[in-house]
């Protein structure tokens, strides 16, 4: 049972435009959400997180939105740059849990 | 400094060998994790150490043996591995268990 779902395996965006990566979750006990970026043969790099008490968190070009009623979050990257091309993982913690549940990832390609 | 280091970067071992993977962080984090990642899949949690005590062992076979000598170091001892154990092994740390995890670059393990 996949508790964190990233339904788009890939996404292509023109340089300078907005990239929107989506993530849905099924476990209502999740209360902390994170986005990671991963290049091939490297470890994931933490990008941004959001607590369930917020609906938006912004850090530079990256903004994460959380819609608790829809159990949906999204990562917005604007403007997109070629260096943003990577696989993006959505991940979530349950309250008091040490286990980070990952989605399967979305491969973002930013075209120059 | 958000760096987690892992050695070696690559490891090739036979099924009868004994080897160890090492992970180090100097961020004062009190939780450390081992993950296994296969190609085009998300990381899978193997072990969690919190304050140098093993908190989670996700039903990992005994041929994988973790060790946490101190709060900065985490080892994974390998013995009698199978070819299907070939994967990228990732170490991560967080300030406390359940917090934002910072990943190392990983060790690419090949079992022949």
């Amino acid at each position: 049972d996949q508790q964190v779902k990233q339904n788009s395996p890939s996404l292509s965006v023109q340089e300078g435009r907005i990239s929107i990566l989506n993530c849905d979750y099924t476990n209502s006990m999740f209360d902390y959400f994170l986005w990671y970026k991963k290049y091939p043969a490297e470890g994931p790099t933490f990008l941004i997180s959001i607590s369930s008490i917020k609906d938006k968190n912004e850090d530079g070009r990256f903004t994460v939105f959380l819609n608790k009623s829809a159990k949906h979050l999204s990562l917005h990257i604007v403007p997109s740059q070629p260096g943003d091309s990577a696989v993006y993982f959505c991940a979530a913690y349950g309250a008091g849990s040490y286990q980070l549940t990952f989605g399967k990832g979305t491969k973002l390609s930013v075209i120059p | 400094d958000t760096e987690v280091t892992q050695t070696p970067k690559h490891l090739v071992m036979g099924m009868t060998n004994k080897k160890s993977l090492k992970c180090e962080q100097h961020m004062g984090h009190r939780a450390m994790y081992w993950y296994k990642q296969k190609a085009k899949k998300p990381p899978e949690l193997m072990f969690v150490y919190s304050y140098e005590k093993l908190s989670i062992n996700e039903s990992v076979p005994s041929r994988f043996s973790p060790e946490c000598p101190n709060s900065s170091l985490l080892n994974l001892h390998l013995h009698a591995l199978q070819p299907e154990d070939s994967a990228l092994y990732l170490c991560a740390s967080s300030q406390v268990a359940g917090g934002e995890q910072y990943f190392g670059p990983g060790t690419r393990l090949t079992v022949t």
Side-chain angles (χ1 to χ4, degrees):
Chain A
D1 176 32
Q2 204 183 334
Q3 299 186 65
V4 176
K5 299 178 187 178
Q6 293 178 258
N7 292 320
S8 298
S10 62
L11 174 69
S12 288
V13 171
Q14 206 73 31
E15 181 179 3
R17 307 294 288 268
I18 184 170
S19 296
I20 300 176
L21 297 111
N22 293 305
C23 178
D24 296 294
Y25 60 96
T26 58
N27 188 339
S28 57
M29 298 302 291
F30 286 151
D31 69 348
Y32 194 63
F33 303 88
L34 304 90
W35 282 96
Y36 285 86
K37 169 182 175 180
K38 188 178 185 302
Y39 294 118
E42 292 185 13
T45 300
F46 169 70
L47 278 176
I48 192 167
S49 61
I50 188 165
S51 163
S52 61
I53 62 172
K54 294 188 172 183
D55 54 19
K56 177 182 174 181
N57 189 24
E58 195 171 349
D59 184 1
R61 297 187 297 116
F62 302 93
T63 303
V64 56
F65 295 92
L66 175 62
N67 182 334
K68 287 186 291 295
S69 60
K71 293 192 177 70
H72 177 83
L73 64 156
S74 60
L75 175 68
H76 293 210
I77 306 172
V78 56
S80 301
Q81 299 172 355
D84 295 329
S85 297
V87 176
Y88 288 77
F89 289 99
C90 171
Y93 276 120
S97 170
Y98 297 169
Q99 181 162 358
L100 195 56
T101 302
F102 284 88
K104 290 190 173 181
T106 296
K107 183 176 181 180
L108 173 67
S109 300
V110 179
I111 304 158
Chain B
D1 181 12
T2 56
E3 191 178 19
V4 176
T5 59
Q6 289 187 245
T7 55
K9 195 164 183 174
H10 299 278
L11 178 62
V12 179
M13 61 186 287
M15 288 189 283
T16 58
N17 291 160
K18 282 186 183 180
K19 296 284 185 184
S20 296
L21 309 185
K22 295 185 184 304
C23 174
E24 192 166 2
Q25 57 88 13
H26 294 288
M27 296 178 277
H29 288 176
R30 302 313 301 267
M32 296 185 77
Y33 310 77
W34 279 116
Y35 288 86
K36 173 181 176 180
Q37 186 174 24
K38 292 278 212 179
K40 299 189 180 178
K41 299 277 188 184
E44 295 174 25
L45 182 66
M46 299 174 74
F47 303 104
V48 180
Y49 273 84
S50 179
Y51 290 88
E52 295 146 60
K53 286 187 171 30
L54 183 62
S55 298
I56 293 179
N57 174 342
E58 287 289 330
S59 303
V60 179
S62 59
R63 57 186 184 267
F64 295 91
S65 174
E67 179 198 15
C68 190
N70 60 54
S71 60
S72 301
L73 292 173
L74 187 64
N75 298 321
L76 186 63
H77 302 297
L78 314 172
H79 173 55
L81 294 193
Q82 304 296 310
E84 59 265 27
D85 296 321
S86 299
L88 181 68
Y89 286 84
L90 294 162
C91 173
S93 71
S94 60
Q95 196 158 21
V96 292
E100 292 157 2
Q101 294 184 28
Y102 293 87
F103 284 81
T107 294
R108 174 69 59 188
L109 175 67
T110 303
V111 182
T112 60

